[in-house]
Amino acid sequence: MPGQDQVVRFTGGPDDRALAWAAVGAGPPLVVGGWWCGHLELDWQNALFRRFAGLLGDRFTLVRYDRPGVGMSDDAGPLVTSLAEEVAALSAVVDAAGEKVTLFGGSSGGCAAMAYAAAHPDRVERLVLYGSYARGAEIAAAEARDSLLAVVERHWGVGSRVLADVFLPTATPAERDEFVQFQRASLSAEKAARSLAAVYAFDVRDQLSTIEVPTLVLHRRDDRAIPFALGRDVAARIPGAAFVPLDGTDHLPWRGDVDGLVRSVREFLGAGRAASRTGAAGGLSERELDVLRLVAQGLSDQEIARRLGISAHTAHRHVSNIRGKLGVSSRAAAAAHAATAGLL
Protein backbone atom coordinates (compact mmCIF):
# COMPACT_ATOMS: atom_id res chain seq x y z
CA MET A 1 0.00 0.00 0.00
CA PRO A 2 2.61 2.70 0.88
CA GLY A 3 4.21 2.36 -2.54
CA GLN A 4 0.98 1.90 -4.43
CA ASP A 5 0.13 4.47 -7.08
CA GLN A 6 -3.39 5.84 -7.03
CA VAL A 7 -5.54 5.90 -10.14
CA VAL A 8 -7.85 8.90 -10.38
CA ARG A 9 -11.25 8.24 -11.98
CA PHE A 10 -14.18 10.51 -12.80
CA THR A 11 -17.90 10.04 -12.30
CA GLY A 12 -20.93 12.25 -12.78
CA GLY A 13 -21.57 14.53 -9.82
CA PRO A 14 -24.17 17.26 -9.17
CA ASP A 15 -25.30 18.96 -12.40
CA ASP A 16 -23.49 16.20 -14.35
CA ARG A 17 -20.11 17.76 -13.55
CA ALA A 18 -17.08 15.48 -13.48
CA LEU A 19 -16.28 14.37 -9.94
CA ALA A 20 -12.72 13.11 -9.34
CA TRP A 21 -12.26 10.10 -7.06
CA ALA A 22 -9.57 7.53 -6.36
CA ALA A 23 -9.37 4.13 -4.68
CA VAL A 24 -6.35 2.36 -3.19
CA GLY A 25 -5.90 -0.65 -0.94
CA ALA A 26 -7.91 -3.84 -0.65
CA GLY A 27 -10.94 -4.87 1.35
CA PRO A 28 -14.35 -3.36 2.13
CA PRO A 29 -14.76 0.22 0.86
CA LEU A 30 -14.02 3.05 3.30
CA VAL A 31 -15.09 6.38 1.76
CA VAL A 32 -13.18 9.44 2.99
CA GLY A 33 -13.70 12.95 1.67
CA GLY A 34 -15.65 16.14 1.56
CA TRP A 35 -13.00 18.37 3.16
CA TRP A 36 -13.55 22.08 2.62
CA CYS A 37 -10.25 22.15 0.73
CA GLY A 38 -8.58 19.18 -0.96
CA HIS A 39 -6.71 17.86 -3.96
CA LEU A 40 -6.38 14.15 -4.73
CA GLU A 41 -3.02 14.43 -6.45
CA LEU A 42 -1.37 16.92 -4.08
CA ASP A 43 -2.60 15.06 -0.99
CA TRP A 44 -1.05 11.88 -2.38
CA GLN A 45 2.32 13.62 -2.63
CA ASN A 46 2.27 14.36 1.12
CA ALA A 47 4.25 11.73 3.04
CA LEU A 48 2.19 12.09 6.23
CA PHE A 49 -1.07 11.77 4.33
CA ARG A 50 0.17 8.70 2.47
CA ARG A 51 1.18 7.05 5.74
CA PHE A 52 -2.30 7.72 7.16
CA ALA A 53 -3.89 6.33 4.00
CA GLY A 54 -1.61 3.30 4.15
CA LEU A 55 -2.58 2.48 7.74
CA LEU A 56 -6.24 2.42 6.72
CA GLY A 57 -5.76 1.00 3.23
CA ASP A 58 -4.07 -2.21 4.35
CA ARG A 59 -7.46 -3.49 5.53
CA PHE A 60 -9.89 -1.47 3.43
CA THR A 61 -10.26 -0.04 -0.04
CA LEU A 62 -9.73 3.63 0.71
CA VAL A 63 -11.97 5.77 -1.53
CA ARG A 64 -11.34 9.54 -1.67
CA TYR A 65 -12.83 12.33 -3.76
CA ASP A 66 -12.60 16.05 -4.50
CA ARG A 67 -15.82 18.04 -4.18
CA PRO A 68 -17.08 19.68 -7.42
CA GLY A 69 -15.11 22.87 -7.99
CA VAL A 70 -12.27 21.73 -5.73
CA GLY A 71 -8.96 20.02 -6.53
CA MET A 72 -9.16 17.74 -9.56
CA SER A 73 -12.96 17.81 -9.93
CA ASP A 74 -14.69 19.88 -12.61
CA ASP A 75 -13.81 23.53 -12.06
CA ALA A 76 -16.00 24.91 -14.85
CA GLY A 77 -19.13 25.53 -12.79
CA PRO A 78 -19.96 27.05 -9.42
CA LEU A 79 -18.54 25.63 -6.22
CA VAL A 80 -20.75 23.16 -4.37
CA THR A 81 -21.79 24.95 -1.18
CA SER A 82 -25.17 23.59 -0.04
CA LEU A 83 -25.47 20.51 2.14
CA ALA A 84 -27.83 18.92 -0.40
CA GLU A 85 -25.18 19.29 -3.12
CA GLU A 86 -22.51 17.89 -0.78
CA VAL A 87 -24.68 14.83 -0.12
CA ALA A 88 -25.32 14.44 -3.87
CA ALA A 89 -21.56 14.43 -4.51
CA LEU A 90 -20.98 11.85 -1.78
CA SER A 91 -23.85 9.76 -3.15
CA ALA A 92 -22.21 9.71 -6.60
CA VAL A 93 -18.97 8.42 -5.05
CA VAL A 94 -20.78 5.74 -3.03
CA ASP A 95 -22.53 4.62 -6.23
CA ALA A 96 -19.17 4.50 -8.00
CA ALA A 97 -17.74 2.35 -5.20
CA GLY A 98 -20.47 -0.10 -6.11
CA GLU A 99 -21.49 -1.56 -2.76
CA LYS A 100 -22.33 -0.84 0.86
CA VAL A 101 -19.63 1.36 2.39
CA THR A 102 -18.23 2.64 5.64
CA LEU A 103 -18.05 6.44 5.77
CA PHE A 104 -15.20 8.42 7.35
CA GLY A 105 -16.42 11.99 7.69
CA GLY A 106 -13.69 14.40 8.72
CA SER A 107 -14.26 18.02 9.76
CA SER A 108 -16.92 19.65 7.55
CA GLY A 109 -17.05 16.43 5.53
CA GLY A 110 -18.68 14.92 8.59
CA CYS A 111 -21.83 16.94 7.92
CA ALA A 112 -22.30 15.35 4.49
CA ALA A 113 -21.47 11.90 5.90
CA MET A 114 -24.01 12.27 8.70
CA ALA A 115 -26.73 13.56 6.38
CA TYR A 116 -26.08 10.74 3.90
CA ALA A 117 -26.07 8.06 6.62
CA ALA A 118 -29.38 9.41 7.97
CA ALA A 119 -30.99 9.36 4.51
CA HIS A 120 -29.44 6.12 3.19
CA PRO A 121 -28.91 3.65 6.07
CA ASP A 122 -29.15 0.78 3.58
CA ARG A 123 -25.97 1.96 1.85
CA VAL A 124 -23.86 2.58 4.98
CA GLU A 125 -22.24 -0.18 7.01
CA ARG A 126 -20.74 2.05 9.70
CA LEU A 127 -20.03 5.74 10.25
CA VAL A 128 -16.78 7.21 11.61
CA LEU A 129 -16.65 10.93 12.41
CA TYR A 130 -13.49 12.86 13.18
CA GLY A 131 -13.22 16.52 14.21
CA SER A 132 -16.91 16.91 13.43
CA TYR A 133 -19.70 19.28 14.41
CA ALA A 134 -23.48 19.54 14.07
CA ARG A 135 -23.90 23.30 13.56
CA GLY A 136 -21.20 25.35 11.86
CA ALA A 137 -22.24 28.62 13.47
CA GLU A 138 -20.94 27.21 16.78
CA ILE A 139 -17.37 26.79 15.52
CA ALA A 140 -16.51 30.38 16.40
CA ALA A 141 -18.18 33.66 17.33
CA ALA A 142 -19.87 35.54 14.47
CA GLU A 143 -17.28 38.32 14.56
CA ALA A 144 -14.39 35.86 14.29
CA ARG A 145 -16.08 33.99 11.42
CA ASP A 146 -16.75 37.20 9.48
CA SER A 147 -13.21 38.43 10.02
CA LEU A 148 -11.64 35.20 8.74
CA LEU A 149 -13.94 35.08 5.71
CA ALA A 150 -13.00 38.65 4.82
CA VAL A 151 -9.27 37.92 5.04
CA VAL A 152 -9.59 34.75 2.95
CA GLU A 153 -11.58 36.49 0.20
CA ARG A 154 -9.60 39.74 0.01
CA HIS A 155 -6.11 38.53 0.92
CA TRP A 156 -5.97 34.79 0.14
CA GLY A 157 -2.21 34.75 0.66
CA VAL A 158 -2.62 36.01 4.24
CA GLY A 159 -5.80 34.00 4.79
CA SER A 160 -4.16 30.74 3.75
CA ARG A 161 -1.39 31.37 6.31
CA VAL A 162 -3.91 32.08 9.06
CA LEU A 163 -5.67 28.81 8.26
CA ALA A 164 -2.36 26.95 8.22
CA ASP A 165 -1.71 28.16 11.76
CA VAL A 166 -5.16 26.90 12.83
CA PHE A 167 -5.00 23.52 11.10
CA LEU A 168 -1.30 22.76 11.69
CA PRO A 169 -0.36 24.22 15.10
CA THR A 170 2.55 21.77 15.55
CA ALA A 171 3.95 22.13 12.02
CA THR A 172 7.39 23.39 11.13
CA PRO A 173 7.70 26.61 9.09
CA ALA A 174 8.41 24.52 5.99
CA GLU A 175 5.31 22.38 6.57
CA ARG A 176 3.18 25.49 7.00
CA ASP A 177 4.55 26.93 3.75
CA GLU A 178 3.73 23.67 1.99
CA PHE A 179 0.16 23.73 3.33
CA VAL A 180 -0.28 27.35 2.26
CA GLN A 181 0.67 26.41 -1.29
CA PHE A 182 -1.60 23.36 -1.12
CA GLN A 183 -4.62 25.46 -0.18
CA ARG A 184 -3.97 28.01 -2.91
CA ALA A 185 -3.54 25.26 -5.51
CA SER A 186 -6.83 23.66 -4.45
CA LEU A 187 -9.04 26.75 -4.43
CA SER A 188 -9.11 30.30 -5.72
CA ALA A 189 -9.64 33.11 -3.20
CA GLU A 190 -13.31 33.44 -4.14
CA LYS A 191 -13.99 29.73 -3.90
CA ALA A 192 -12.01 29.43 -0.68
CA ALA A 193 -14.21 32.08 0.93
CA ARG A 194 -17.40 30.45 -0.35
CA SER A 195 -16.25 27.01 0.79
CA LEU A 196 -15.38 28.28 4.25
CA ALA A 197 -18.71 30.10 4.47
CA ALA A 198 -20.43 26.79 3.69
CA VAL A 199 -18.53 25.15 6.56
CA TYR A 200 -20.06 27.70 8.92
CA ALA A 201 -23.54 27.37 7.35
CA PHE A 202 -23.92 23.58 7.61
CA ASP A 203 -26.47 22.44 10.19
CA VAL A 204 -27.30 18.73 10.56
CA ARG A 205 -28.80 18.78 14.05
CA ASP A 206 -32.21 17.60 12.83
CA GLN A 207 -30.74 14.58 11.04
CA LEU A 208 -28.58 13.20 13.84
CA SER A 209 -31.33 11.60 15.91
CA THR A 210 -32.40 9.56 12.86
CA ILE A 211 -29.00 7.94 12.23
CA GLU A 212 -29.35 4.18 12.70
CA VAL A 213 -25.92 2.86 11.70
CA PRO A 214 -23.19 2.11 14.30
CA THR A 215 -21.24 5.33 14.78
CA LEU A 216 -17.84 6.23 16.23
CA VAL A 217 -17.04 9.88 17.02
CA LEU A 218 -13.38 10.85 17.46
CA HIS A 219 -12.17 14.29 18.49
CA ARG A 220 -8.85 15.71 19.70
CA ARG A 221 -9.16 17.47 23.04
CA ASP A 222 -7.29 20.62 22.01
CA ASP A 223 -8.36 20.84 18.35
CA ARG A 224 -7.92 24.50 17.38
CA ALA A 225 -10.15 24.32 14.29
CA ILE A 226 -13.28 22.58 15.63
CA PRO A 227 -13.80 22.84 19.41
CA PHE A 228 -13.78 19.56 21.34
CA ALA A 229 -17.22 20.28 22.83
CA LEU A 230 -18.77 20.19 19.35
CA GLY A 231 -17.54 16.64 18.76
CA ARG A 232 -18.97 15.50 22.06
CA ASP A 233 -22.25 17.20 21.15
CA VAL A 234 -22.38 15.19 17.90
CA ALA A 235 -21.90 11.93 19.81
CA ALA A 236 -24.64 12.87 22.28
CA ARG A 237 -27.12 13.53 19.45
CA ILE A 238 -26.56 10.26 17.54
CA PRO A 239 -28.32 7.28 19.16
CA GLY A 240 -25.80 4.74 20.44
CA ALA A 241 -22.74 6.62 19.19
CA ALA A 242 -19.41 5.85 20.88
CA PHE A 243 -17.26 8.87 21.71
CA VAL A 244 -13.46 8.55 21.92
CA PRO A 245 -11.48 11.62 23.04
CA LEU A 246 -7.98 11.83 21.56
CA ASP A 247 -5.01 13.82 22.81
CA GLY A 248 -3.48 16.49 20.57
CA THR A 249 -4.04 19.84 18.89
CA ASP A 250 -3.77 19.05 15.16
CA HIS A 251 -7.02 19.12 13.22
CA LEU A 252 -5.84 17.05 10.27
CA PRO A 253 -6.04 13.32 11.14
CA TRP A 254 -2.79 12.47 9.35
CA ARG A 255 -0.83 14.62 11.80
CA GLY A 256 -0.15 14.07 15.51
CA ASP A 257 -0.94 10.69 17.09
CA VAL A 258 -2.02 9.01 13.87
CA ASP A 259 -1.42 5.50 15.21
CA GLY A 260 -3.80 5.98 18.14
CA LEU A 261 -6.49 7.43 15.89
CA VAL A 262 -6.23 4.62 13.34
CA ARG A 263 -6.18 2.01 16.10
CA SER A 264 -9.51 3.33 17.42
CA VAL A 265 -10.98 3.24 13.91
CA ARG A 266 -9.76 -0.31 13.26
CA GLU A 267 -11.10 -1.56 16.59
CA PHE A 268 -14.48 -0.01 15.89
CA LEU A 269 -14.70 -1.41 12.37
CA GLY A 270 -13.73 -4.84 13.65
CA ALA A 271 -16.16 -4.74 16.56
CA GLY A 272 -18.97 -6.27 14.54
CA ARG A 273 -16.97 -9.48 14.12
CA ALA A 274 -16.16 -9.51 17.83
CA ALA A 275 -19.83 -9.08 18.67
CA SER A 276 -20.82 -12.06 16.54
CA ARG A 277 -18.26 -14.22 18.37
CA THR A 278 -19.10 -13.19 21.93
CA GLY A 279 -22.79 -12.31 21.71
CA ALA A 280 -24.20 -8.82 22.06
CA ALA A 281 -23.72 -8.49 25.81
CA GLY A 282 -20.54 -10.58 25.91
CA GLY A 283 -21.50 -12.09 29.29
CA LEU A 284 -21.50 -8.70 31.02
CA SER A 285 -23.47 -8.13 34.21
CA GLU A 286 -26.04 -5.35 34.46
CA ARG A 287 -23.57 -3.21 36.41
CA GLU A 288 -20.87 -3.83 33.80
CA LEU A 289 -23.31 -2.83 31.06
CA ASP A 290 -23.97 0.41 32.97
CA VAL A 291 -20.23 1.06 33.17
CA LEU A 292 -19.76 0.19 29.49
CA ARG A 293 -22.39 2.71 28.46
CA LEU A 294 -20.55 5.41 30.41
CA VAL A 295 -17.22 4.37 28.88
CA ALA A 296 -18.83 4.80 25.46
CA GLN A 297 -19.78 8.35 26.46
CA GLY A 298 -16.10 9.13 27.00
CA LEU A 299 -16.21 9.25 30.81
CA SER A 300 -13.07 8.55 32.85
CA ASP A 301 -12.95 6.07 35.75
CA GLN A 302 -13.32 8.98 38.18
CA GLU A 303 -16.35 10.36 36.32
CA ILE A 304 -17.95 6.90 36.15
CA ALA A 305 -17.38 6.49 39.88
CA ARG A 306 -19.12 9.77 40.65
CA ARG A 307 -22.01 8.96 38.31
CA LEU A 308 -22.63 5.50 39.82
CA GLY A 309 -21.72 6.28 43.42
CA ILE A 310 -18.82 3.83 43.56
CA SER A 311 -15.09 4.20 44.15
CA ALA A 312 -12.69 4.99 41.31
CA HIS A 313 -10.90 1.72 42.06
CA THR A 314 -14.15 -0.23 41.61
CA ALA A 315 -14.90 1.62 38.38
CA HIS A 316 -11.41 0.79 37.09
CA ARG A 317 -11.91 -2.88 38.02
CA HIS A 318 -15.23 -2.98 36.17
CA VAL A 319 -13.61 -1.51 33.05
CA SER A 320 -10.80 -4.08 33.22
CA ASN A 321 -13.33 -6.92 33.59
CA ILE A 322 -15.36 -5.57 30.66
CA ARG A 323 -12.30 -5.48 28.41
CA GLY A 324 -11.40 -9.02 29.44
CA LYS A 325 -14.87 -10.42 28.78
CA LEU A 326 -15.15 -8.69 25.41
CA GLY A 327 -11.61 -9.61 24.41
CA VAL A 328 -10.66 -6.06 23.47
CA SER A 329 -7.44 -4.15 24.15
CA SER A 330 -8.66 -0.68 25.00
CA ARG A 331 -11.51 1.50 26.25
CA ALA A 332 -12.04 2.68 22.66
CA ALA A 333 -12.58 -0.90 21.48
CA ALA A 334 -15.02 -1.53 24.34
CA ALA A 335 -16.95 1.60 23.37
CA ALA A 336 -16.94 0.50 19.74
CA HIS A 337 -18.36 -2.90 20.72
CA ALA A 338 -21.12 -1.19 22.70
CA ALA A 339 -22.10 0.92 19.69
CA THR A 340 -21.98 -1.94 17.19
CA ALA A 341 -23.87 -4.37 19.44
CA GLY A 342 -26.63 -1.87 20.20
CA LEU A 343 -25.94 -1.75 23.93
CA LEU A 344 -26.20 2.04 24.30
Side-chain angles (χ1 to χ4, degrees), residues 159-244:
S160 60
R161 290 195 174 276
V162 172
L163 291 169
D165 290 340
V166 172
F167 290 135
L168 281 67
T170 64
T172 66
E175 288 174 328
R176 280 194 176 88
D177 288 343
E178 181 182 2
F179 189 66
V180 165
Q181 295 304 316
F182 168 82
Q183 292 177 101
R184 296 177 70 179
S186 301
L187 288 167
S188 66
E190 178 188 359
K191 288 189 174 182
R194 293 188 63 202
S195 185
L196 190 57
V199 169
Y200 295 143
F202 290 158
D203 188 340
V204 293
R205 289 173 297 173
D206 291 344
Q207 288 100 312
L208 300 194
S209 64
T210 67
I211 293 176
E212 301 174 355
V213 302
T215 302
L216 173 67
V217 182
L218 304 154
H219 213 106
R220 286 180 171 150
R221 298 180 190 274
D222 299 307
D223 189 332
R224 293 180 58 185
I226 307 295
F228 178 76
L230 300 190
R232 190 157 190 167
D233 173 65
V234 166
R237 291 174 180 272
I238 298 176
F243 181 65
V244 177

Side-chain angles (χ1 to χ4, degrees), residues 88-323:
L90 174 56
S91 180
V93 175
V94 172
D95 290 343
E99 52 188 303
K100 202 168 185 178
V101 305
T102 290
L103 296 180
F104 185 111
S107 192
S108 60
C111 294
M114 288 183 272
Y116 183 88
H120 304 282
D122 57 315
R123 299 300 307 275
V124 181
E125 187 75 33
R126 292 189 179 91
L127 175 63
V128 177
L129 301 169
Y130 167 80
S132 56
Y133 61 91
R135 180 171 177 257
E138 297 176 354
I139 293 174
E143 183 179 351
R145 299 196 309 269
D146 292 343
S147 176
L148 182 55
L149 286 170
V151 170
V152 167
E153 184 172 21
R154 299 170 190 169
H155 309 286
W156 185 208
V158 175
S160 60
R161 290 195 174 276
V162 172
L163 291 169
D165 290 340
V166 172
F167 290 135
L168 281 67
T170 64
T172 66
E175 288 174 328
R176 280 194 176 88
D177 288 343
E178 181 182 2
F179 189 66
V180 165
Q181 295 304 316
F182 168 82
Q183 292 177 101
R184 296 177 70 179
S186 301
L187 288 167
S188 66
E190 178 188 359
K191 288 189 174 182
R194 293 188 63 202
S195 185
L196 190 57
V199 169
Y200 295 143
F202 290 158
D203 188 340
V204 293
R205 289 173 297 173
D206 291 344
Q207 288 100 312
L208 300 194
S209 64
T210 67
I211 293 176
E212 301 174 355
V213 302
T215 302
L216 173 67
V217 182
L218 304 154
H219 213 106
R220 286 180 171 150
R221 298 180 190 274
D222 299 307
D223 189 332
R224 293 180 58 185
I226 307 295
F228 178 76
L230 300 190
R232 190 157 190 167
D233 173 65
V234 166
R237 291 174 180 272
I238 298 176
F243 181 65
V244 177
L246 302 171
D247 291 330
T249 60
D250 287 291
H251 183 58
L252 301 180
W254 47 91
R255 297 187 58 85
D257 182 15
V258 178
D259 292 339
L261 188 158
V262 171
R263 183 165 56 250
S264 294
V265 174
R266 284 178 170 178
E267 288 172 339
F268 172 69
L269 297 184
R273 292 187 292 275
S276 66
R277 292 195 304 268
T278 63
L284 303 183
S285 68
E286 287 300 319
R287 172 59 85 181
E288 287 169 340
L289 286 172
D290 289 339
V291 172
L292 177 58
R293 293 183 183 102
L294 295 177
V295 168
Q297 293 175 29
L299 273 62
S300 67
D301 290 345
Q302 290 76 15
E303 291 169 325
I304 291 172
R306 287 194 294 271
R307 182 74 64 87
L308 298 179
I310 58 179
S311 70
H313 174 76
T314 299
H316 179 75
R317 178 167 52 81
H318 280 314
V319 173
S320 295
N321 289 341
I322 290 167
R323 288 169 54 186

